[in-house]
């Protein structure tokens, strides 16, 4: 199947646009009846996977967790999805709560896929134990938060291959419409040319995002567990949200190419804290005081959490920059933001999400040569782009930059992306194999984040 056709299916919400390998794993049986087990759901992403139901998935979901506010929040969200007026789900929840939750899951195994989204410090140990027990894994990012965890991840992938099970991380940002469009234009030589090599000061591809501790999820204020602010549990920003951005660098700049960690060279990396007042901490956690394990990060009654990070590195000879910033709360009417640029020999592809864009991501195309550009762009939009994203137009602005207008049909929002990624994973389970490039590129992705962590910590 041609790559462009797969992208069309992505745009319609049926597929992620990734080319499947023709080589199939004949030892792993296809999975037409998936039974989900959620382990220790400490992050709201665990619930978002269940915001939609899937024909291939059994309606009974098994939950193994210690009793407490985190699993109760998960159960409340599932109940809200079941009881909503529009497109209610019909999940039958079977919770088993207790301190021996991991052992209970491994011994009983009422399901064949483990979902995990919670404390990042424990995640890789959960994953390793699951694959040793012959379970497939569907995990929220990041899979690891330090070099020690990366060593365990290498072992987990080795065991998964031996046991013929799949490990997959939830890369929702591949489904954001402007990012998909940026990638598609970068694959059109008549418009983009080719990706420049760049320099450390002017990288070929940059990804920068700004996030906020206080936000609304599914219409309700998000209550974060206090451990979310402990870098020993959540991980520092340079190994957490950067996972998405490093993934996008690989996915956009080198589509369907296997990338080895030896092709990555870290150039610069730094980290710095976000400072929260006790009042801000209390508002987002509903706690009146800092727990004992956070006292190490408290200075003058303010919490210093190392949630910010930046790295500059080369990958396959191209320079890339990734940066993540966490603020307490976005200004009224705004939210998390994203900036990205891919620099080509004919134009730059730029995603902005600022005030001029009403804080919604918008793709711009800026020609970098004096040669005629409009004809090539219009031809591409009228042809392949229209085929993949019907209704898309290119609007020339007064400054000579082109604005790409993507129909709202394709702007479904972050929460809906979880269903898209899940459908993709279910397809891989049915086929018994990930694309040939996914596993090595996952390894390279986490090698990159942990290498940046090591460099930043030395300063």
């Amino acid at each position: 199947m041609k790559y462009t056709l797969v992208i069309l299916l992505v745009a319609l919400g049926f597929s992620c646009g990734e080319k499947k390998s023709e080589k199939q794993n004949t030892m792993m049986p296809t999975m037409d009846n998936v039974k989900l087990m959620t382990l220790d759901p400490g992050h709201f992403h665990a619930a978002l996977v269940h915001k939609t139901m899937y024909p291939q998935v059994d309606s009974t979901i098994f939950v193994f967790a210690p009793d407490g506010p985190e699993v109760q929040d998960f159960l409340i969200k599932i109940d809200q999805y079941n009881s909503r007026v529009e497109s209610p789900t019909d999940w039958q929840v079977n919770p088993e709560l207790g301190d021996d939750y991991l052992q209970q899951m491994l011994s009983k195994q009422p399901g064949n896929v483990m979902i995990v989204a919670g404390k990042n410090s424990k995640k890789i140990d959960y994953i390793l134990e699951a694959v040793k027990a012959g379970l497939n894994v569907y995990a929220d990012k990041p899979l690891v938060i330090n070099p020690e965890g990366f060593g365990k991840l290498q072992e987990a992938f080795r065991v998964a291959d031996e046991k013929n099970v799949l490990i997959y991380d939830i890369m929702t940002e591949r489904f954001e419409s402007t990012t998909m469009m940026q990638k598609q234009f970068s694959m059109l030589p008549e418009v983009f040319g080719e990706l420049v090599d760049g320099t450390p000061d002017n990288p070929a591809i940059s990804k920068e995002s700004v996030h906020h501790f206080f936000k609304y999820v599914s219409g309700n204020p998000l209550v974060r567990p206090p451990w979310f602010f402990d870098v020993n549990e959540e991980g520092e920003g340079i190994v957490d949200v950067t996972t998405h951005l490093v993934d996008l660098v690989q996915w956009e700049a080198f589509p369907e190419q296997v990338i080895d960690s030896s092709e990555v060279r870290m150039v610069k990396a730094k980290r710095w804290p976000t400072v929260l007042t006790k009042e801000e901490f209390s508002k987002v956690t509903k706690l009146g005081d800092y727990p004992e394990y956070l006292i190490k990060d408290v200075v003058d009654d303010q919490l210093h959490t190392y949630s910010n990070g930046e790295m500059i590195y080369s990958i396959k000879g191209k320079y890339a920059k990734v940066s993540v910033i966490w603020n307490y709360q976005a200004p009224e009417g705004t939210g998390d933001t994203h900036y990205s640029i891919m620099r080509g020999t004919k134009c730059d592809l730029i995603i902005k999400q600022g005030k001029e864009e009403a804080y919604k991501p918008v793709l711009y195309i800026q020609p970098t040569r004096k040669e005629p550009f409009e004809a090539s762009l219009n031809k591409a939009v009228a042809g392949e782009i229209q085929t993949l994203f019907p209704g898309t137009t290119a609007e020339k602005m007064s400054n000579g930059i082109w604005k790409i207008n993507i129909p709202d049909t394709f702007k479904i929002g972050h929460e809906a992306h979880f269903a898209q990624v899940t459908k993709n994973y279910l397809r891989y389970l049915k086929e018994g194999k990930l694309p040939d490039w996914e596993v090595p590129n996952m390894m390279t992705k986490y090698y990159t984040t942990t290498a940046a962590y090591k460099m930043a910590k030395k300063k």
Side-chain angles (χ1 to χ4, degrees):
M1 180 180 292
K2 291 186 178 179
Y3 185 82
T4 54
L5 178 57
V6 181
I7 287 288
L8 175 58
L9 293 176
V10 173
L12 296 175
F14 295 106
S15 168
C16 76
E18 293 152 1
K19 183 178 179 181
K20 304 184 293 293
S21 167
E22 294 180 358
K23 180 183 176 182
Q24 295 294 317
N25 186 335
T26 57
M27 296 182 64
M28 179 179 174
T30 59
M31 294 178 62
D32 295 307
N33 186 22
V34 174
K35 295 184 178 181
L36 300 177
M37 303 180 298
T38 298
L39 183 70
D40 194 12
H43 195 287
F44 67 94
H45 286 176
L48 287 179
V49 172
H50 298 90
K51 196 173 181 180
T52 301
M53 297 195 75
Y54 316 91
Q56 190 180 341
V57 177
D58 192 285
S59 62
T60 299
I61 55 177
F62 300 88
V63 183
F64 295 88
D67 198 3
E70 294 162 22
V71 69
Q72 294 304 322
D73 181 70
F74 171 84
L75 296 174
I76 289 171
K77 283 185 170 59
I78 301 302
D79 182 64
Q80 289 173 341
Y81 300 152
N82 282 344
S83 59
R84 68 192 177 204
V85 175
E86 185 177 348
S87 302
T89 53
D90 188 29
W91 297 112
Q92 310 301 311
V93 185
N94 189 338
E96 296 201 26
L97 308 182
D99 293 338
D100 60 343
Y101 58 93
L102 176 60
Q103 290 71 28
Q104 288 294 317
M105 184 196 74
L106 295 175
S107 61
K108 295 181 178 179
Q109 291 194 30
N112 45 28
V113 175
M114 180 189 76
I115 296 175
V116 59
K119 288 185 178 180
N120 294 329
S121 61
K122 296 182 177 182
K123 194 176 295 176
I124 185 57
D125 292 320
Y126 290 159
I127 292 170
L128 187 52
E129 290 302 313
V131 295
K132 285 180 178 178
L135 295 170
N136 296 281
V137 173
Y138 189 45
D140 191 34
K141 63 81 198 157
L143 302 188
V144 299
I145 60 174
N146 52 43
E148 293 75 21
F150 179 72
K152 292 181 180 180
L153 182 63
Q154 291 176 304
E155 173 68 5
F157 275 116
R158 185 194 67 77
V159 174
D161 183 64
E162 184 180 273
K163 297 281 188 176
N164 296 297
V165 293
L166 304 183
I167 300 173
Y168 198 56
D169 58 357
I170 304 175
M171 293 289 100
T172 52
E173 296 307 306
R174 295 183 187 179
F175 290 85
E176 198 282 316
S177 59
T178 54
T179 297
M180 292 166 60
M181 188 74 77
Q182 184 185 49
K183 178 183 181 181
Q184 187 57 35
F185 272 113
S186 75
M187 298 172 65
L188 302 176
E190 64 274 20
V191 174
F192 184 67
E194 61 182 29
L195 188 67
V196 302
D197 291 342
T199 66
D201 294 328
N202 195 12
I205 181 169
S206 296
K207 301 281 182 182
E208 304 172 12
S209 64
V210 179
H211 297 259
H212 302 89
F213 290 119
F214 183 83
K215 64 171 66 175
Y216 290 86
V217 174
S218 299
N220 299 307
L222 175 64
V223 178
R224 295 190 186 273
W227 57 257
F228 185 82
F229 298 90
D230 185 0
V231 295
N232 293 332
E233 296 288 358
E234 176 67 15
E236 297 198 6
I238 203 166
V239 293
D240 186 8
V241 177
T242 57
T243 305
H244 278 303
L245 306 186
V246 171
D247 180 77
L248 291 181
V249 167
Q250 297 179 176
W251 184 71
E252 289 191 72
F254 309 101
E256 300 182 8
Q257 296 182 41
V258 172
I259 306 169
D260 189 81
S261 60
S262 63
E263 297 177 288
V264 173
R265 181 176 67 87
M266 194 57 55
V267 178
K268 297 178 183 178
K270 63 180 181 179
R271 58 196 275 272
W272 65 97
T274 297
V275 180
L276 301 178
T277 66
K278 183 179 288 187
E279 181 182 4
E280 290 170 335
F281 176 80
S282 297
K283 184 176 179 181
V284 76
T285 63
K286 304 304 180 184
L287 294 182
D289 208 346
Y290 301 118
E292 183 65 28
Y293 55 80
L294 286 180
I295 297 300
K296 68 183 186 307
D297 300 320
V298 175
V299 180
D300 296 329
D301 211 32
Q302 294 183 317
L303 181 65
H304 293 236
T305 182
Y306 277 86
S307 53
N308 311 299
E310 179 180 289
M311 67 183 83
I312 298 174
Y313 60 103
S314 66
I315 176 170
K316 281 186 172 286
K318 310 289 185 180
Y319 283 94
K321 176 184 176 181
V322 163
S323 176
V324 171
I325 295 173
W326 278 83
N327 296 324
Y328 169 65
Q329 184 177 2
E332 188 69 26
T334 71
D336 295 351
T337 61
H338 177 70
Y339 171 83
S340 173
I341 182 170
M342 294 184 74
R343 298 174 51 234
T345 53
K346 294 183 178 180
C347 72
D348 293 339
L349 305 173
I350 308 167
I351 297 174
K352 294 183 180 181
Q353 195 175 350
K355 184 176 181 180
E356 292 184 4
E357 293 77 33
Y359 300 100
K360 303 295 183 182
V362 175
L363 175 64
Y364 299 96
I365 298 182
Q366 181 173 2
T368 55
R369 292 181 176 181
K370 293 183 178 180
E371 63 188 44
F373 181 81
E374 184 170 352
S376 297
L377 177 61
N378 287 336
K379 181 179 179 181
V381 171
E384 189 164 7
I385 297 300
Q386 278 286 345
T387 300
L388 304 177
F389 300 89
T392 298
T393 60
E395 173 189 351
K396 190 172 185 179
M397 305 171 68
S398 59
N399 57 6
I401 297 177
W402 293 81
K403 178 182 177 182
I404 303 302
N405 298 308
I406 303 173
D408 290 342
T409 307
F410 303 107
K411 301 175 182 178
I412 64 174
H414 174 65
E415 293 188 19
H417 295 326
F418 282 84
Q420 291 177 305
V421 183
T422 302
K423 290 175 183 177
N424 212 50
Y425 179 57
L426 293 172
R427 177 164 58 89
Y428 293 148
L429 288 174
K430 187 176 179 65
E431 295 170 353
K433 193 179 188 304
L434 295 173
D436 287 341
W437 52 270
E438 275 284 18
V439 170
N441 289 9
M442 271 191 274
M443 293 293 294
T444 297
K445 173 171 57 186
Y446 290 107
Y447 168 82
T448 302
T449 58
T450 54
Y453 171 84
K454 286 172 62 177
M455 181 176 286
K457 289 278 283 187
K458 289 180 180 179
K459 298 183 179 180

